[in-house]
Amino acid sequence: MADEARDRRSFWEPSAYFSLGRESFYFAGHDISIRESMDTHGALIWPGAIALCQFLENNQQQVNLVDKAVLEIGAGTGLLSVVASLLGASVTATDLPDILSNLSYNLLRNTKGRSRHTPKVTALTWGQDLDVDFPYPGYRYDYVLAADVVYPHSCLDQLLDTMSHFCRPASGTTLLWANKARFPSDQKFLEQFKSRFNTTLLAEFPQQEVRIFKGTARE
């Protein structure tokens, strides 16, 4: 994981510089400083998040986030949620409870006084209590964002169920998923993803091995 983090930084230079547990970026007309930690997967910035940030910034006519309700699942350090907020979205960033402190810190630090809407942070465990904590249609989003959430963990089925909960037929919700393929589980998940969602490949970043997919629920 540490090796990949170092390799990732060389891929994206000079747009990001790593120093003392922080990475600095420039997106949406703003300098962004993200505090990382080596403690958990959710406390690092992964290539898919950077790629999706670049895509959103460079394709604002195709994906207009201004005043849109946006949910990020597996938000981690919050870089993607920060950029979505700076692009005008009303963002809800979610992750496991032990991730939320650093996530909240990064969102507040980088969006206060800069964004149209104050981003929200809340706990979401994939596949658990979704109908109770996020009942539909009370919690409906224009976009659901997910970046580098697929890796060998025991919750891939729950992740897919979570995507389906928020992106359901007639909801009008679009799912944007950025993924760096690393393991056989990635291809298996992609096949399952395509079985549930109308899937379009929006962009590829060959050097980083990242692809960005758009999904809408199958009827």
Side-chain angles (χ1 to χ4, degrees), residues 45-56:
I45 301 167
W46 297 101
I50 301 174
L52 190 46
C53 287
Q54 288 198 330
F55 177 83
L56 292 174

Side-chain angles (χ1 to χ4, degrees), residues 89-161:
S90 176
V91 174
T92 301
T94 69
D95 212 311
L96 296 171
D98 60 345
I99 300 295
L100 299 188
S101 177
N102 192 54
L103 173 58
S104 298
Y105 171 86
N106 285 326
L107 278 171
L108 179 63
R109 174 187 177 89
N110 290 287
T111 64
K112 187 176 182 180
R114 295 174 164 186
S115 56
R116 292 169 64 92
H117 306 276
T118 301
K120 297 180 286 292
V121 175
T122 190
L124 190 160
T125 301
W126 297 335
Q128 292 188 17
D129 299 322
L130 296 176
D131 290 325
V132 174
D133 295 334
F134 298 89
Y136 180 83
Y139 289 81
R140 194 204 70 82
Y141 299 91
D142 297 296
Y143 291 94
V144 173
L145 308 180
D148 274 332
V149 290
V150 178
Y151 51 92
H153 54 68
S154 60
C155 300
L156 290 177
D157 290 341
Q158 292 89 335
L159 171 59
L160 196 61
D161 289 342

